[in-house]
Amino acid sequence: NAGVTQTPKFRVLKTGQSMTLLCAQDMNHEYMYWYRQDPGMGLRLIHYSVGEGTTAKGEVPDGYNVSRLKKQNFLLGLESAAPSQTSVYFCASSPGLAGGSSNEQFFGPGTRLTVL
Amino acid sequence: AQSVTQPDIHITVSEGASLELRCNYSYGATPYLFWYVQSPGQGLQLLLKYFSGDTLVQGIKGFEAEFKRSQSSFNLRKPSVHWSDAAEYFCAVGATGTYKYIFGTGTRLKVLA
C-alpha cells in the first residue's frame, strides 16, 4: 500500500495564479483532511471531508476550495494564489471519527508551495 | 475551548541523554491523544497514541508517553536519545466522536553528538 500520496511535492506560483493539489489514499478511508503548516503554528485545518461527495470548512478555509468526487481522492484548489498561502500543505486520512483503538490520522509527505 | 500546548519550542539534548517533551491539553471529555514525529522535509509519522486503559503507552523507536489526567498532560519520554531522533515533535488530541484533531505548535529537538 502506498498510504497517502500527494502531488506535486514542490511548486512555485506567482500571485494570482491558480493550482490544484492532489491527495490520494489507498486505505479506503472515509475521512480526508487538508492542513497547512506554518512555522510556530502547528497544523491548521483548511477543509475536510467525511465521505465521497462531501466537504466542509475547517479553521482556515478562506482562499481555498476542495472537492471529493472519488472516495480515494481529495483535491485542494487555490483559485488566485497569494503570498500568504506560502506554506507546506499536508493531506491526511482516517477511517472514521476520532476515538477508538483503530482510528488515527495518516499523513502524506506534504507539498511545499511558494507564492511569489 | 479545546487546545494543546507544547511549552518548549526548542529542546537540545546530548546523544545518550534522556528526553522528556511536554504536552498539556484542554479538553472536556476523555481525550484521545497522539504524538507524531516529523523529520525534515517529511510528513508526520505516528509515534504512539492513547485512547484508554494503561496510562503508560509504548510507541515506536523506543518512545513512551504517560497520560496524567490530573495534570492534563501527555508527556513524551525516551531514556536515551539517538542522533536520528532530531526532528520536530507534535502532540495532538482527537475530539472523541468528531472529525476534529487539534495539534500543538510542535517542539523541535536538536541532538548534540
Side-chain angles (χ1 to χ4, degrees):
Chain A
N1 287 348
V4 180
T5 58
Q6 292 182 232
T7 309
K9 288 186 169 50
F10 303 93
R11 187 72 186 267
V12 178
L13 291 178
K14 295 181 179 178
T15 297
Q17 287 185 318
S18 63
M19 78 163 294
T20 300
L21 282 67
L22 171 64
C23 175
Q25 53 96 2
D26 61 3
M27 297 173 282
N28 201 36
H29 286 171
E30 290 294 334
Y31 284 60
M32 296 187 75
Y33 310 77
W34 275 107
Y35 293 92
R36 59 177 290 171
Q37 183 183 35
D38 302 291
M41 303 191 76
L43 273 75
R44 294 182 291 168
L45 183 65
I46 304 171
H47 286 280
Y48 67 98
S49 167
V50 302
E52 181 178 315
T54 75
T55 63
K57 294 180 180 180
E59 58 178 310
V60 288
D62 293 343
Y64 305 94
N65 57 75
V66 287
S67 64
R68 186 126 180 246
L69 299 179
K70 294 183 178 180
K71 186 176 184 179
Q72 64 267 35
N73 295 338
F74 195 30
L75 279 62
L76 178 71
L78 287 73
E79 290 186 346
S80 180
S84 61
Q85 294 177 303
T86 294
S87 188
V88 181
Y89 292 86
F90 286 101
C91 177
S93 70
S94 66
L97 296 171
S101 61
S102 61
N103 280 347
E104 63 184 72
Q105 287 186 312
F106 295 81
F107 283 85
T111 294
R112 186 172 297 274
L113 175 66
T114 301
V115 183
L116 303 176
Chain B
Q2 301 152 351
S3 65
V4 176
T5 301
Q6 294 181 246
D8 304 305
I9 299 173
H10 298 279
I11 283 187
T12 301
V13 300
S14 298
E15 191 171 19
S18 63
L19 172 69
E20 183 169 29
L21 302 182
R22 297 183 289 166
C23 173
N24 293 96
Y25 66 89
S26 173
Y27 183 64
T30 299
Y32 188 47
L33 296 159
F34 305 83
W35 274 101
Y36 287 90
V37 61
Q38 184 182 27
S39 297
Q42 303 295 315
L44 278 72
Q45 180 184 19
L46 182 69
L47 283 175
L48 47 79
K49 61 186 178 183
Y50 169 81
F51 61 98
S52 68
D54 193 348
T55 57
L56 185 62
V57 181
Q58 301 298 320
I60 62 171
K61 304 186 180 190
F63 285 92
E64 66 178 26
E66 187 171 13
F67 170 57
K68 293 186 178 180
R69 185 187 301 275
S70 61
Q71 298 177 19
S72 297
S73 69
F74 189 55
N75 293 350
L76 182 71
R77 301 193 294 246
K78 187 170 184 178
S80 177
V81 170
H82 188 262
W83 64 266
S84 61
D85 293 324
E88 190 156 21
Y89 292 79
F90 290 93
C91 181
V93 61
T96 305
T98 78
Y99 69 90
K100 200 170 184 180
Y101 293 81
I102 302 120
F103 287 81
T105 52
T107 297
R108 187 171 295 278
L109 174 65
K110 182 176 179 180
V111 180
L112 301 177

